[in-house]
Amino acid sequence: MKLPERVTICEVGPRDGFQIEPDWISTEQKIEAVDLLSAAGLPRIEVTSFVHPKVVPQLRDAEAVMAGIRRRPGTRYAALVPNDKGAVRAVDAGVDELHTVVSASESHNLANVNMTVAESLDKLRAVMLVAARAKVHVGCGISTSFGCPFEGEVPVSGLEGVVRRLVDIGARTIALADTTGMANPRQVQHTLEHLMPKFPGVEWILHTHDTRAMAIPNILAAMECGVSSFDASVGGLGGCPFAPGASGNVCTEDLVHCLHAMGVQTGVDLEGLIAGARRVQEIVGRPLPGQIIKAGTWQRRYPLPDAVAARIGATRA
Ligand code: COA
Ligand code: ZN
């Protein structure tokens, strides 16, 4: 397998995950979660989103969360914004980078941000200006890149059109998002092989949801194509409130475990991350889909059953 030596993970649980939690998570608990994740060495964290508070009420305390977190050197703190109003709020709140959102399909874009794709791209042009003035990096996400829960198949040519328009307004980092877990590894490879040579110099990120248990296989396929940046969510939290059937992102500790087991570095302290996942599980008040938190790492060993130990002893004697 062709694997990168090192992978950069952006933790999106505090945004993609918390945004769909129906019960209020206090500002203090959100801050605690972000601080645990940065302490575990995550290099990028999407802390929150600056969207309409009535549309995503769980994240209405975005400013307070940004003001309360402990800034660890070595972690870049980002927030999701759909428009320039959100970008101004996020920059004022002190984010290190902006993550924008537009969909590859019209229906999902209308459902998610109440704009056509063309209207969104106009807003994102304004976001780029806000970011340039503030000297803040922008990562541009494209929802439903591999399929739309309303329209079905999203042709690669349509996706390419959105990428082209983002690059034209200055995008240099692009996250292809599989919003409802429709992508399969062969499709991921095909899409990346199509796009990557056309847009040299772009940093590609894959944002996966594990809705159909294909997130890690899709990440492996993307690594084979040379992608080394991935979004993931602690415990496997996550889901888009405006995409029916969406469920959690690829689980951060499961992904880090898989990468470390293969000798790929992430800079993340897996034990610290697992402890953080346990605390996040307490905060949301239910078990999360992550596997490693239940199974332990591949190095875990169990005591031999007595009867088996006795037989081995007898054989040796
Ligand atoms: N933050 C706070 N308020 C905002 C805002 C933002 N980023 N963007 C717009 N608003 C306010 C406007 O100021 C206006 O306020 P007013 O009524 O007091 O004048 C009001 O919202 C309506 O503005 P408009 O531009 O018409 O927005 P809209 O109602 O069409 O909603 C979005 C558009 C993008 C703001 C909204 O759909 C949204 O926040 N979507 C986010 C969806 C999301 O987070 N999805 C999950 C992540 S992928
Ligand atoms: Zn997502």
Side-chain angles (χ1 to χ4, degrees):
M1 285 178 93
K2 200 180 120 217
L3 296 173
E5 242 168 66
R6 198 181 168 88
V7 151
T8 303
I9 293 181
C10 177
E11 168 60 49
V12 297
R15 194 280 302 170
D16 209 341
F18 286 170
Q19 73 180 3
I20 49 135
E21 289 299 319
D23 297 329
W24 176 245
I25 300 168
S26 74
T27 305
E28 290 67 35
Q29 288 173 324
K30 289 173 182 142
I31 291 167
E32 183 190 353
V34 171
D35 287 347
L36 284 170
L37 292 162
S38 63
L42 280 150
R44 299 178 186 173
I45 302 178
E46 206 171 87
V47 176
T48 185
S49 65
F50 290 85
V51 300
H52 198 296
K54 287 211 181 94
V55 176
V56 184
Q58 182 64 260
L59 302 185
R60 63 179 184 268
D61 57 355
E63 275 85 357
V65 174
M66 277 304 304
I69 56 176
R70 223 177 311 121
R71 304 286 282 251
R72 186 188 78 96
T75 298
R76 268 156 61 181
Y77 296 88
L80 182 109
V81 302
N83 56 18
D84 47 327
K85 168 130 189 177
V88 170
R89 286 178 59 204
V91 163
D92 287 349
V95 300
D96 298 315
E97 57 183 72
L98 297 171
H99 291 176
T100 66
V101 57
V102 61
S103 309
S105 60
E106 286 292 346
S107 326
H108 184 263
N109 207 60
L110 282 165
N112 194 33
V113 291
N114 194 30
M115 291 182 268
T116 64
V117 170
E119 286 165 347
S120 263
L121 288 162
D122 269 351
K123 294 282 185 194
L124 298 190
R125 189 188 301 276
V127 168
M128 297 310 259
L129 295 176
V130 172
R133 268 200 300 274
K135 298 194 167 55
V136 162
H137 182 77
V138 186
C140 294
I142 307 179
S143 300
T144 64
S145 283
F146 302 93
C148 167
F150 307 111
E151 295 177 21
E153 195 194 337
V154 170
V156 181
S157 56
L159 176 61
E160 183 188 335
V162 178
V163 172
R164 169 80 55 205
R165 282 174 280 167
L166 286 171
V167 168
D168 286 348
I169 62 171
R172 293 297 170 264
T173 300
I174 293 187
L176 301 177
D178 184 22
T179 310
T180 60
M182 291 171 72
N184 67 67
R186 182 169 262 180
Q187 181 191 7
V188 166
Q189 207 146 16
H190 174 244
T191 304
L192 288 168
E193 280 169 0
H194 180 87
L195 293 177
M196 289 174 88
K198 290 198 163 71
F199 302 98
V202 165
E203 180 204 9
W204 298 95
I205 298 173
L206 192 69
H207 175 103
T208 55
H209 283 259
D210 205 28
T211 319
R212 295 179 176 85
M214 291 190 279
I216 287 188
N218 287 336
I219 288 169
L220 294 174
M223 286 196 293
E224 291 263 9
C225 296
V227 174
S228 60
S229 297
F230 300 97
D231 289 353
S233 175
V234 64
L237 282 170
C240 175
F242 309 102
S247 67
N249 295 85
V250 64
C251 168
T252 314
E253 62 272 17
D254 290 0
L255 177 60
V256 167
H257 173 266
C258 172
L259 292 167
H260 289 188
M262 297 190 296
V264 178
Q265 295 169 39
T266 64
V268 176
D269 160 28
L270 182 57
E271 291 307 320
L273 178 60
I274 291 172
R278 286 194 207 290
R279 176 68 190 126
V280 168
Q281 203 161 254
E282 280 170 18
I283 290 173
V284 299
R286 63 188 158 79
L288 291 172
Q291 299 289 336
I292 292 306
I293 200 172
K294 303 178 198 108
T297 70
W298 63 275
Q299 287 119 325
R300 181 175 179 180
R301 295 294 177 272
Y302 295 85
L304 206 55
D306 288 345
V308 177
R311 270 196 71 176
I312 292 173
T315 322
R316 287 212 182 113

